[in-house]
């Protein structure tokens, strides 16, 4: 089970930190991703981190602004989002699976999502 939190309303240029709490004894073996969906648009891969945090991946539009990290002692994966833009608006989901993929659909487990709105 995955549960995302930390969304909210922020002005352009602001920051938010999303957190995903993952339950289950196999969490430490899972890659975890953040996926977002803007209104009326397809889901979009945002970032992912390997189970041991040796590799991270980002979609090009967030590189240099977003950072994904994980703490396997607390079973959490965070997404630090800086210099937010209106186009970052959407529902952000955390997703997990044994295999790390850089797409928005092929993940085994999904959380419920948290709304991020970037607007002045």
């Amino acid at each position: 089970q995955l549960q995302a939190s930390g969304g909210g309303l922020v002005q352009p240029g602001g920051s938010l930190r999303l957190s995903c709490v993952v339950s289950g004894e196999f969490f430490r073996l899972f890659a975890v991703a953040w996926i977002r969906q803007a209104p009326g648009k397809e889901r979009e891969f945002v970032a992912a981190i390997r189970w041991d945090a040796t590799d991270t991946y980002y979609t090009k539009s967030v590189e240099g602004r977003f950072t994904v990290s994980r703490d396997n002692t607390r079973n959490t994966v965070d997404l630090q989002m800086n210099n937010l833009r209106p186009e970052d608006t959407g529902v952000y989901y955390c997703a997990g699976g044994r295999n790390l993929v850089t797409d928005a659909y092929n993940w085994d487990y999904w959380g419920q999502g948290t709304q991020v709105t970037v607007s002045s």
Side-chain angles (χ1 to χ4, degrees):
Q1 185 177 2
L2 301 93
Q3 186 157 356
S5 63
L9 173 63
V10 63
Q11 292 187 340
S15 297
L16 280 175
R17 188 176 185 89
L18 306 184
S19 185
C20 177
V21 178
V22 185
S23 58
E25 61 183 294
F26 298 111
F27 165 73
R28 292 176 183 78
L29 302 179
F30 281 11
V32 176
W34 288 94
I35 311 293
R36 67 187 178 189
Q37 188 165 22
K41 293 190 175 181
E42 296 284 324
R43 286 183 183 178
E44 178 187 24
F45 171 86
V46 176
I49 187 166
R50 202 169 292 281
W51 71 272
D52 58 0
T54 54
D55 289 302
T56 56
Y57 299 85
Y58 300 92
T59 193
K60 187 167 284 292
S61 65
V62 308
E63 283 182 351
R65 300 188 297 123
F66 291 12
T67 303
V68 62
S69 60
R70 69 189 292 160
D71 184 342
N72 285 350
T73 64
R74 297 188 300 119
N75 282 15
T76 58
V77 175
D78 291 347
L79 184 69
Q80 177 67 41
M81 307 186 295
N82 298 328
N83 192 19
L84 282 160
R85 304 168 180 169
E87 54 264 39
D88 295 318
T89 294
V91 178
Y92 282 67
Y93 300 89
C94 56
R98 289 191 176 274
N99 299 312
L100 191 153
V101 293
T102 56
D103 70 52
Y105 291 92
N106 292 302
W107 291 88
D108 300 320
Y109 306 98
W110 291 81
Q112 85 289 0
T114 185
Q115 175 70 45
V116 172
T117 303
V118 184
S119 175
S120 55

